[in-house]
Amino acid sequence: MSSTKTWKPGDIVVVRGIFNGHICHAQSVIVAKDTPEEIALILLPGSECVDLEGYLKGKQNSKRRWDFKDKPFKLEKYIWHTNRLLLLIEPENYYSTIYFWQNDTNEFLCYYINFQIPFQRSHIGFDTLDLELDMIINPDNSWKIKDVDDYQKGIENGTILYEWIQEIEAAKNKVLGKLADKQYPLDGFWLNWRPDSNWSAPKLPANWDRI
């Protein structure tokens, strides 16, 4: 369900992955900023999340979300840990930019480019769909593409649509151009930002699973 609601810093919202009209994963996050141009969300260690039952363990055996596409599935809760993430999403982009820190030390680990469907607002936060392909950009600006095999599998089994492939290729070029020119959001603008000390890791709010 789309929504025009905007959120205030400190609000608890949910980022959800929607596949074929069903929720396949969700993360409880805190709003740091919400404007028409930029949305910034913080994922803290201890935050309550859900994913496909067996998926997180299955990742160790190369099992991905696409493997569940034609099967009944259940969701299971888990707790995010270790790293603090700042998710930056911009309207119409086929990617989000995620700042990764080691939470205990505040060490900046990387920029993580998550290729995904452009977000839609929902009654509870933001909906998208992870398209498996990712890019890791190290603090020295060296980079690599991640999960190419999983992305290719999604293409082969038809769960990644042709028009998405074209958009992702354009998005990759856009990201690399921003990296070369040190443009936002790869300019380190948020590097020294810290969450409000009064914010604590949230649980999934009521009605997080209503579409």
Side-chain angles (χ1 to χ4, degrees):
M1 180 182 297
S2 62
S3 171
T4 57
K5 180 179 177 63
T6 56
W7 306 92
K8 303 184 301 295
D11 284 345
I12 296 170
V13 300
V14 183
V15 176
R16 307 186 299 184
I18 308 294
F19 182 63
N20 284 345
H22 299 282
I23 298 169
C24 58
H25 64 96
Q27 297 172 319
S28 57
V29 297
I30 301 172
V31 176
K33 181 180 180 181
D34 184 6
T35 68
E37 297 79 23
E38 176 190 40
I39 297 152
L41 310 169
I42 188 78
L43 178 61
L44 294 172
S47 298
E48 188 177 47
C49 307
V50 298
D51 217 311
L52 298 170
E53 187 177 52
Y55 169 70
L56 296 176
K57 294 180 180 178
K59 284 183 70 174
Q60 300 172 10
N61 299 311
S62 299
K63 201 169 189 63
R64 292 296 186 260
R65 290 192 177 94
W66 312 126
D67 296 308
F68 295 84
K69 72 183 184 71
D70 295 322
K71 302 174 184 177
F73 61 81
K74 296 180 180 179
L75 297 173
E76 63 180 348
K77 291 184 178 180
Y78 70 96
I79 302 299
W80 184 261
H81 62 86
T82 308
N83 294 325
R84 182 177 74 250
L85 275 57
L86 181 72
L87 291 71
L88 302 177
I89 52 180
E90 302 167 79
E92 301 182 6
N93 275 356
Y94 269 75
Y95 66 92
S96 61
T97 303
I98 305 173
Y99 284 46
F100 265 75
W101 289 272
Q102 169 72 34
N103 191 59
D104 290 345
T105 65
N106 281 325
E107 178 188 1
F108 177 64
L109 302 176
C110 67
Y111 299 107
Y112 193 100
I113 305 299
N114 192 71
F115 294 101
Q116 60 189 49
I117 298 298
F119 76 87
Q120 292 187 344
R121 292 178 182 270
S122 75
H123 71 284
I124 203 69
F126 304 93
D127 289 348
T128 182
L129 176 62
D130 189 324
L131 297 178
E132 295 292 353
L133 196 67
D134 305 293
M135 180 187 297
I136 296 175
I137 302 174
N138 297 309
D140 64 1
N141 285 349
S142 62
W143 59 273
K144 65 179 180 180
I145 299 292
K146 180 176 175 287
D147 295 334
V148 174
D149 290 345
D150 300 320
Y151 177 60
Q152 187 61 41
K153 182 177 180 181
I155 294 173
E156 291 170 357
N157 67 27
T159 51
I160 294 181
L161 305 182
Y162 176 72
E163 56 264 34
W164 296 349
I165 301 170
Q166 293 180 307
E167 293 287 357
I168 288 173
E169 289 305 310
K172 282 197 292 186
N173 290 333
K174 182 177 180 180
V175 169
L176 290 174
K178 286 178 176 289
L179 179 62
D181 295 336
K182 297 183 179 179
Q183 294 179 349
Y184 172 90
L186 302 174
D187 56 355
F189 177 81
W190 285 89
L191 277 182
N192 295 322
W193 180 86
R194 297 292 182 265
D196 190 308
S197 59
N198 293 317
W199 293 352
S200 58
K203 293 185 178 297
L204 289 164
N207 294 326
W208 67 267
D209 54 352
R210 175 168 63 86
I211 298 295

